[in-house]
Amino acid sequence: TAIAITEQPVSVSVPVGYTFTLRCRAKGCTSLQYQWFCQHQSICQQIPGATQQDLPVTAQQTQLYTCRINDLYKNAVFSDWVKVEVHQCVARGLSPQLWRGEPVIVLNPTEQRVEVGKSLQLQCAAMGIPTPCYQWYRNGNLLEHQNKKKLLIAHAKVSDSGTYLCCASNNHGEHWTNAVDIHVVRLCPLLRVYSFVTWCFFSATGKIALLVGNNRYQHHPNLMAPVTDVFELRLLLEQLGFQVVSLLD
């Protein structure tokens, strides 16, 4: 009869220094032996002395764990790999001694202003035993497929603007992040130029000149001079050592 795992260990998300237990249960036709392993930064190693069904862990760093079960006939199976995520900071007001694994938010998303077409990324994090599941909402509406700690929209649209928040839940309950406002805006050409000139101003050590020649007016005949004026003035300023940005209309 094959070895059958009847209880898999579960992933957890806990504060540093927190003590908990990983559990694994199996059944077979003979007596069974257990051996736990851990993996950190691609290095997998056997945990000395970890030969019981329960593995006491004091959280120090984020690691992966698995348990090997074998019988007297040298048959062996491995449990699921589980992640022990360790947070170096503890949520304000949380008493680890009284905490029993209900979701606790440790990182809230932040308000953002994003240009149309740019990527939008929101992030949150929660502790919990087992590790909480995540679900994002916009304006109170569930966002399908946005069920990870990070919400990513590769090319933001104006319609992606709104109030966002995330729910972290496990079998002990649920906890919500703060709600944040996200603004996805279209930058007009002048604002793009302003952003570029601002970047030039703060990144350059030389002198900056911005020339704007208006040739078309709503309530005035078209002018002819601005084109040549901007061109000639640009040449003069460049001879004087200026970095020049020239615009027409």
Side-chain angles (χ1 to χ4, degrees):
T1 303
I3 301 171
I5 296 179
T6 57
E7 182 180 350
Q8 294 278 4
V10 297
S11 296
V12 302
S13 183
V14 296
V16 64
Y18 187 79
T19 299
F20 60 97
T21 300
L22 293 177
R23 293 167 51 90
C24 185
R25 298 288 188 273
K27 62 181 182 180
C29 61
T30 71
S31 60
L32 301 176
Q33 297 176 328
Y34 293 78
Q35 177 61 60
W36 289 88
F37 296 79
C38 68
Q39 177 177 322
H40 178 64
Q41 294 181 346
S42 301
I43 300 176
C44 181
Q45 58 187 6
Q46 180 175 302
I47 304 174
T51 57
Q52 302 298 317
Q53 295 174 322
D54 294 341
L55 176 67
V57 178
T58 299
Q60 297 298 331
Q61 60 185 352
T62 297
Q63 295 188 124
L64 300 176
Y65 290 83
T66 188
C67 184
R68 184 189 66 204
I69 306 102
N70 62 274
D71 61 17
L72 298 181
Y73 298 113
K74 298 185 179 180
N75 299 313
V77 296
F78 282 84
S79 72
D80 296 338
W81 282 96
V82 295
K83 184 177 183 179
V84 174
E85 185 179 29
V86 180
H87 297 273
Q88 298 299 320
C89 60
V90 178
R92 181 178 299 178
L94 174 67
S95 173
Q97 294 77 18
L98 301 178
W99 184 54
R100 292 297 177 265
E102 64 275 11
V104 176
I105 302 297
V106 294
L107 177 65
N108 279 286
T110 57
E111 182 173 344
Q112 294 186 39
R113 187 178 183 88
V114 181
E115 183 182 351
V116 168
K118 302 293 185 180
S119 64
L120 167 62
Q121 179 171 295
L122 297 175
Q123 185 173 359
C124 71
M127 298 187 303
I129 303 175
T131 296
C133 299
Y134 296 88
Q135 180 59 60
W136 287 90
Y137 294 79
R138 183 183 69 240
N139 299 332
N141 299 314
L142 182 147
L143 295 173
E144 294 186 4
H145 311 302
Q146 296 290 3
N147 50 13
K148 298 181 180 179
K149 287 190 293 185
K150 291 184 179 180
L151 177 150
L152 178 62
I153 299 175
H155 304 285
K157 306 182 294 294
V158 173
S159 59
D160 292 319
S161 299
T163 301
Y164 286 74
L165 76 168
C166 185
C167 178
S169 63
N170 62 14
N171 54 15
H172 295 293
E174 63 182 31
H175 201 168
W176 296 76
T177 67
N178 295 338
V180 294
D181 292 329
I182 303 300
H183 307 278
V184 182
V185 298
R186 297 183 185 275
L187 285 184
C188 68
L190 185 57
L191 287 178
R192 291 179 183 272
V193 172
Y194 173 78
S195 299
F196 171 74
V197 173
T198 301
W199 174 82
C200 289
F201 178 79
F202 285 106
S203 62
T205 57
K207 297 172 288 186
I208 307 295
L210 171 63
L211 302 181
V212 180
N214 287 324
N215 186 43
R216 299 176 183 175
Y217 291 88
Q218 183 175 1
H219 302 293
H220 193 283
N222 289 349
L223 304 178
M224 297 301 297
V227 176
T228 54
D229 288 348
V230 168
F231 177 75
E232 293 177 359
L233 190 54
R234 177 191 180 100
L235 294 178
L236 176 61
L237 289 171
E238 287 178 341
Q239 293 173 6
L240 295 175
F242 279 82
Q243 299 182 46
V244 182
V245 179
S246 300
L247 301 174
L248 291 175
D249 299 323

